[in-house]
Amino acid sequence: WDYVSVLVDLRGTLRNYLRSSLFRKYLNYDERSRSIVRASDMQAALMEDVKDVSESYMFMIELSRVLGRLLIVMAFTLHKNPGSGWILMCMPLLMILWVLLRGSGYVGACATEGDMQ
């Protein structure tokens, strides 16, 4: 899968598409609208915001891939051992509890790291 993802280069393709679409939209503004948008804002959007959007999209794809695997494992487990349903119900609840307990510390650490930069 890693070899295919390098060949396809979805992240780079997505960035190029978003940049060209955003710049095309900017060029289609009339003169009054174009004068309202500062060049520095447009440059920041083209360089940084597009990167953030494409990274978020790639994260969502990875998240859906992991969740798909998890659902397949759960279905296989239920098919082979129907009595394990209670365990399969506890697993997502424990994962959610883990995220809730660790999430605030992680967000705080990210905020601290962002302040240092």
Side-chain angles (χ1 to χ4, degrees):
W1 173 251
D2 292 335
Y3 180 72
V4 172
S5 65
V6 168
L7 284 178
V8 172
D9 188 27
L10 182 60
R11 181 175 285 120
T13 304
L14 182 61
R15 279 187 191 161
N16 287 338
Y17 175 76
L18 289 172
R19 282 183 180 141
S20 63
S21 296
L22 183 61
F23 194 63
R24 187 178 308 115
K25 183 104 171 149
Y26 174 74
L27 291 177
N28 285 332
Y29 285 175
D30 60 357
E31 284 300 320
R32 187 178 65 81
S33 298
R34 204 175 301 155
S35 66
I36 294 172
V37 178
R38 295 187 319 223
S40 60
D41 291 340
M42 191 63 195
Q43 183 179 6
L46 286 171
M47 300 308 268
E48 297 300 322
D49 295 344
V50 164
K51 179 183 172 193
D52 293 342
V53 169
S54 66
E55 293 296 325
S56 300
Y57 183 77
M58 294 303 294
F59 175 76
M60 291 305 295
I61 288 176
E62 180 66 23
L63 182 65
S64 63
R65 187 173 68 91
V66 169
L67 289 177
R69 283 184 179 178
L70 184 63
L71 286 175
I72 289 171
V73 167
M74 290 173 72
F76 177 77
T77 304
L78 273 178
H79 178 70
K80 291 295 182 183
N81 187 2
S84 65
W86 70 273
I87 294 173
L88 293 176
M89 295 304 289
C90 289
M91 185 177 62
L93 294 175
L94 289 173
M95 292 169 72
I96 290 170
L97 181 65
W98 175 261
V99 167
L100 290 175
L101 291 175
R102 297 282 299 194
S104 61
Y106 178 73
V107 169
C110 289
T112 303
E113 180 68 24
D115 290 342
M116 292 161 75
Q117 292 179 358

